[in-house]
């Protein structure tokens, strides 16, 4: 049985304990208690991939931050582990097959995404196959020199700074 899910794609979609689906309408706070529903932050994953002192970024095809570069990633689907989600999202957006090296951090500021409260679990990955090609909601996918990054979406500048500290064996930023 699937658990409760919260979707922020313009509508709140929630499932109560009996499997009833409430969609195509906004759920008001008073309805939450009435239907036994709970609002939860959405969970996303991001994947840091570095090769030859360059980091992989995608140019976003859709809002928010349409046209900005970002670390590849996306939302975890119900019933999916975060580890499988990051590997899937990287493949969908970049065409690359990857393996997880390490967990970089969890980024949970309620203001990190203008669509709503999104928690990002960020992993460091290595490429084990595939061919670099933008796909899904990525307009472009390319490696950038770590010292010459474009303007980034969301809090991805902070995430990359944390990655550089991780690389140098230093303590990450305060969560």
């Amino acid at each position: 049985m699937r658990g409760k899910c919260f979707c922020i794609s313009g509508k709140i979609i929630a499932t109560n304990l009996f499997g009833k689906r409430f969609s195509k309408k906004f759920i008001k706070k008073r309805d939450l208690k009435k239907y036994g529903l709970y609002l939860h932050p959405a969970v996303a994953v991001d994947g840091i991939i570095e090769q030859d002192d360059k980091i992989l970024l995608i140019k976003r095809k859709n809002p928010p931050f349409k046209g900005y570069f970002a670390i590849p990633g996306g939302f975890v689907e119900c019933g999916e582990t975060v580890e499988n989600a990051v590997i899937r999202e990287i493949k969908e957006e970049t065409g690359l097959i990857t393996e997880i090296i390490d967990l970089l951090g969890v980024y949970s500021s309620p203001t990190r995404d203008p669509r709503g409260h999104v928690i990002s679990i960020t992993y460091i990955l290595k490429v084990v196959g595939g061919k670099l090609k933008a796909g899904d909601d990525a307009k472009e996918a390319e490696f950038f020199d770590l010292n010459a990054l474009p303007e980034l979406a969301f809090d991805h500048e902070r995430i990359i700074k944390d990655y550089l500290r991780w690389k140098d064996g230093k303590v990450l930023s305060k969560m």
Side-chain angles (χ1 to χ4, degrees):
M1 180 173 127
R2 288 190 164 179
K4 294 181 178 78
C5 294
F6 169 63
C7 178
I8 59 168
S9 61
K11 299 179 200 91
I12 295 174
I13 301 173
T15 307
N16 70 9
L17 295 174
F18 304 106
K20 278 187 169 179
R21 187 175 166 108
F22 298 90
S23 63
K24 298 187 179 178
K25 74 173 190 169
F26 287 93
I27 305 292
K28 295 180 175 81
K29 280 190 174 184
R30 68 176 179 265
D31 291 334
L32 293 174
K33 188 172 183 182
K34 178 180 174 183
Y35 295 115
L37 300 171
Y38 302 91
L39 289 181
H40 299 284
V43 179
V45 289
D46 291 307
I48 301 273
I49 299 171
E50 183 186 352
Q51 287 184 344
D52 304 321
D53 292 322
K54 293 184 177 188
I55 192 163
L56 180 61
L57 299 174
I58 57 107
K59 185 178 247 185
R60 291 181 55 82
K61 194 188 294 185
N62 302 312
F65 298 105
K66 180 179 180 179
Y68 283 76
F69 281 92
I71 299 165
F75 290 102
V76 178
E77 295 175 359
C78 284
E80 181 178 42
T81 67
V82 292
E83 296 85 1
N84 287 339
V86 73
I87 290 168
R88 174 186 53 78
E89 283 288 345
I90 298 295
K91 186 172 184 201
E92 288 176 0
E93 292 187 348
T94 70
L96 298 176
I97 300 165
T98 56
E99 288 180 359
I100 295 171
I101 296 172
D102 205 352
L103 171 67
L104 178 65
V106 177
Y107 299 85
S108 62
S109 171
T111 60
R112 66 176 301 277
D113 190 319
R115 296 169 291 187
H117 190 178
V118 178
I119 296 169
S120 175
I121 301 168
T122 304
Y123 289 94
I124 301 162
L125 301 103
K126 68 178 180 179
V127 176
V128 296
K131 184 177 177 186
L132 184 61
K133 182 181 179 205
D136 197 28
D137 57 350
K139 187 176 182 179
E140 300 172 22
E142 61 184 287
F143 283 91
F144 285 85
D145 187 296
L146 282 164
N147 297 313
L149 295 174
E151 190 172 1
L152 299 171
F154 306 105
D155 57 352
H156 291 185
E157 183 177 343
R158 176 183 174 208
I159 293 171
I160 291 172
K161 285 179 182 177
D162 281 350
Y163 170 68
L164 294 173
R165 281 191 281 279
W166 174 87
K167 236 177 98 165
D168 290 339
K170 296 180 182 171
V171 175
L172 300 184
S173 65
K174 302 259 185 220
M175 299 289 165

